[in-house]
């Protein structure tokens, strides 16, 4: 069956890093993998091309594809547009239209980069965590919300946190399944000592655990989880949590792994269709200089083969090729330590492609 991939390069360094991921796909295609790709603009590029950050044709392409690879969106030239036309509306719009409720962020520290982390190498060397964050519910979308005047005549702001049982179950299932394929450990993070929503969350995840006897489930309060992530991060395998806690913890975890130029992400729907993107933004400060790190985007491609196409073999080959390039000493500026020879975006992509061909 043909694997249909939509590539949405977006803005800033997006086109540069997507071009390197495309080279990887070219190698796989030349080897006989049945992959087709088509490109469309999103974000500021969508606005420039069609007057909207998520043009109809782009959404149609994303919907008719099996998976989407995205670069990044945003740039100072779009900062003065009205909110509905700002580049980030392209991402929010596509997530919503595709029903992407599960955000997967692996934080993996390659041994070669242990000294690039802000934590001591012995604390983070070998780190391999997967954070599964619910993406479409929680206090970010809860109603009612807004401002009102309280009984004392004071203006107050308010938001509503809520999760329905099916919402908790579907994200927990994604996490249990992921844990089953990894180290078999799942830590559910909540604030059940204070929040009713979290009490329901904990009960629901616990009830589901009987279906996954091969996964060791534990629970942790979010404040403790934030502390444990910097104290002893290697204790974690898979973490599952709601939208708000996941937003914060996944950014914290990403710093453990050194540069944001290394970190991929996946956002999945109920049928494992997904949008794959690096966690970083469009980096307008380095655009067009051949210095952006393309590895987060290439590793996003590996996640695509793992989660959407169920091709663990291809995912591992791409990851091994990235590792091989790092082992050969290839370093873009963001991951270089003193004394390292620095290579550019294209040379790094070529190194991965070379390793892939040699494997
Ligand atoms: P950013 O992630 O773009 O950049 C932060 C810093 O990291 C910059 O110094 C940048 O040069 C560096 N950096 C980022 N990616 C890199 C890479 N692959 N290789 C080397 N260095 C890299 O965040 P920002 O500067 O806060 O935002 C810039 C623009 O990106 C804004 O318009 C913002 O809205 C947008 N943004 C988009 C996304 C997305 O598309 N998902 C996410 C975050 C920010």
């Amino acid at each position: 069956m043909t694997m249909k991939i939509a590539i949405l390069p977006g803005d800033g360094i997006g086109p540069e890093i997507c071009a390197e991921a495309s080279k990887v796909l070219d190698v796989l295609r030349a080897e006989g993998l049945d992959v087709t790709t088509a490109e469309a603009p999103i974000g500021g590029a969508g606005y420039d091309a069609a007057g909207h950050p998520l043009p109809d044709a782009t959404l149609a392409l994303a919907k008719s594809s099996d998976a989407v690879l995205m670069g990044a969106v945003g740039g100072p030239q779009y900062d003065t547009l009205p909110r509905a036309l700002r580049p980030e509306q392209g991402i929010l719009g596509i997530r919503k239209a595709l029903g992407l409720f599960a955000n997967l962020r692996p934080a993996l520290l390659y041994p070669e980069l242990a000294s690039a982390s802000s934590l001591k190498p012995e604390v983070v060397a070998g780190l391999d965590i997967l954070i599964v964050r619910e993406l479409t519910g929680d206090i970010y979308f809860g109603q009612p919300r807004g401002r009102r005047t309280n009984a004392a005549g004071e203006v107050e702001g308010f938001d509503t946190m809520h999760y329905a049982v099916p919402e908790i179950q579907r994200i927990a299932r994604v996490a249990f399944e992921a844990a089953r394929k990894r180290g078999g450990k799942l830590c559910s993070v909540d604030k059940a000592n204070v929040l009713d929503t979290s009490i329901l969350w904990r009960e629901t995840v616990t009830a589901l655990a009987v279906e996954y006897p091969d996964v060791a489930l534990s629970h942790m309060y979010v404040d403790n989880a934030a502390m444990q992530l910097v104290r002893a991060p290697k204790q974690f395998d898979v973490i599952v949590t709601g939208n708000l806690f996941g937003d914060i913890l996944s950014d914290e975890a990403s710093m453990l792994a050194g540069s944001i130029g290394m970190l991929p992400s996946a956002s999945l729907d109920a049928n494992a269709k997904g949008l794959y993107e690096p966690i970083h933004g469009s980096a307008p400060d380095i655009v067009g200089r051949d210095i952006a790190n393309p590895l987060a985007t290439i590793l996003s491609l590996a996640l695509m083969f793992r989660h959407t196409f169920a091709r663990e073999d291809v995912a591992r080959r791409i990851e091994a090729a990235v590792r091989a390039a790092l082992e050969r000493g290839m370093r873009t500026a963001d991951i270089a330590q003193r004394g390292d020879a620095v290579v550019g975006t294209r040379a790094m992509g070529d190194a991965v492609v070379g390793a892939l061909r040699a494997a």
Side-chain angles (χ1 to χ4, degrees):
M1 198 193 67
T2 304
M3 297 177 245
K4 286 176 69 180
I5 302 174
I7 300 182
L8 314 181
D11 309 317
I13 61 170
E16 299 169 44
I17 54 183
C18 282
E20 301 312 311
S22 291
K23 285 191 205 164
V24 169
L25 284 174
D26 289 343
V27 173
L28 296 170
R29 198 184 287 119
E31 287 177 359
L33 206 67
D34 192 2
V35 175
T36 64
T37 57
E39 275 196 27
I42 192 168
Y47 176 77
D48 289 340
H52 195 276
L54 182 58
D56 291 342
T58 300
L59 182 57
L61 176 70
K63 282 187 165 166
S64 66
S65 303
D66 302 311
V68 178
L69 179 72
M70 203 176 72
V73 302
Q77 66 272 46
Y78 306 110
D79 283 349
T80 51
L81 287 172
R83 192 199 273 207
L85 296 177
R86 298 271 294 265
E88 52 271 28
Q89 294 303 319
I91 301 191
L92 295 174
I94 199 168
R95 277 185 189 157
K96 190 156 184 256
L98 297 182
L100 307 174
F101 69 90
N103 185 231
L104 275 58
R105 274 207 202 176
L108 189 144
L109 185 64
Y110 290 88
E112 294 79 11
L113 302 182
S115 53
S117 171
S118 48
L119 294 191
K120 293 190 200 109
E122 63 269 27
V123 175
V124 287
L127 179 86
D128 184 1
I129 303 177
L130 176 67
I131 299 200
V132 178
R133 166 190 171 195
E134 202 286 331
L135 207 55
T136 54
D138 207 350
I139 196 164
Y140 290 178
F141 296 94
Q143 294 290 343
R145 64 190 294 170
R147 289 180 190 208
R148 62 190 170 201
T149 303
N150 65 19
E154 300 154 337
V155 175
E156 63 179 20
F158 65 103
D159 298 274
T160 305
M161 175 179 275
H162 64 73
Y163 266 119
V165 168
E167 281 179 297
I168 303 169
Q169 285 171 330
R170 68 176 184 174
I171 191 71
R173 279 192 194 288
V174 171
F176 274 114
E177 296 287 343
R180 182 172 262 182
K181 290 188 199 134
R182 293 171 41 104
K185 280 184 2 183
L186 175 62
C187 180
S188 173
V189 171
D190 61 38
K191 188 73 183 167
N193 51 343
V194 179
L195 298 172
D196 282 321
T197 312
S198 281
I199 294 171
L200 182 68
W201 176 283
R202 193 176 279 219
E203 283 170 13
T204 307
V205 175
T206 303
L208 207 59
V210 297
E211 294 179 35
Y212 300 90
D214 49 332
V215 176
L217 173 68
S218 61
H219 301 273
M220 197 178 275
Y221 297 136
V222 63
D223 42 348
N224 188 23
M227 187 179 75
Q228 295 299 334
L229 271 174
V230 287
R231 195 187 72 85
K234 284 189 276 185
Q235 70 185 280
F236 296 108
D237 177 16
V238 179
I239 292 175
V240 64
T241 189
N243 204 348
L244 171 65
F245 301 152
D247 191 0
I248 299 163
L249 293 183
S250 59
D251 267 22
E252 185 188 1
S254 69
M255 279 321 296
L256 305 176
S259 167
I260 56 173
M262 292 297 302
L263 293 167
S265 78
S267 302
L268 306 178
D269 77 358
N271 303 308
K273 176 169 178 162
L275 181 130
Y276 298 83
E277 58 181 323
I279 70 157
H280 59 72
S282 58
D285 52 330
I286 59 169
V287 68
R289 292 165 55 196
D290 192 38
I291 57 177
N293 185 347
L295 294 182
T297 314
I298 292 172
L299 290 168
S300 297
L301 214 48
L303 292 185
M304 180 189 291
F305 282 101
R306 172 167 298 128
H307 295 288
T308 292
F309 299 127
R311 288 294 302 262
E312 183 66 26
D313 56 329
V314 179
R316 289 201 182 175
R317 272 190 68 204
I318 295 172
E319 287 165 350
V322 167
R323 177 91 192 263
L326 294 172
E327 276 169 356
R328 278 183 47 210
M330 306 299 281
R331 300 282 186 277
T332 43
D334 57 308
I335 51 174
Q337 300 293 297
R338 202 189 326 214
D340 283 341
V342 171
V343 300
T345 309
R346 290 192 289 270
M348 183 60 107
D350 289 342
V352 174
V353 161
L356 196 63
R357 282 209 184 97

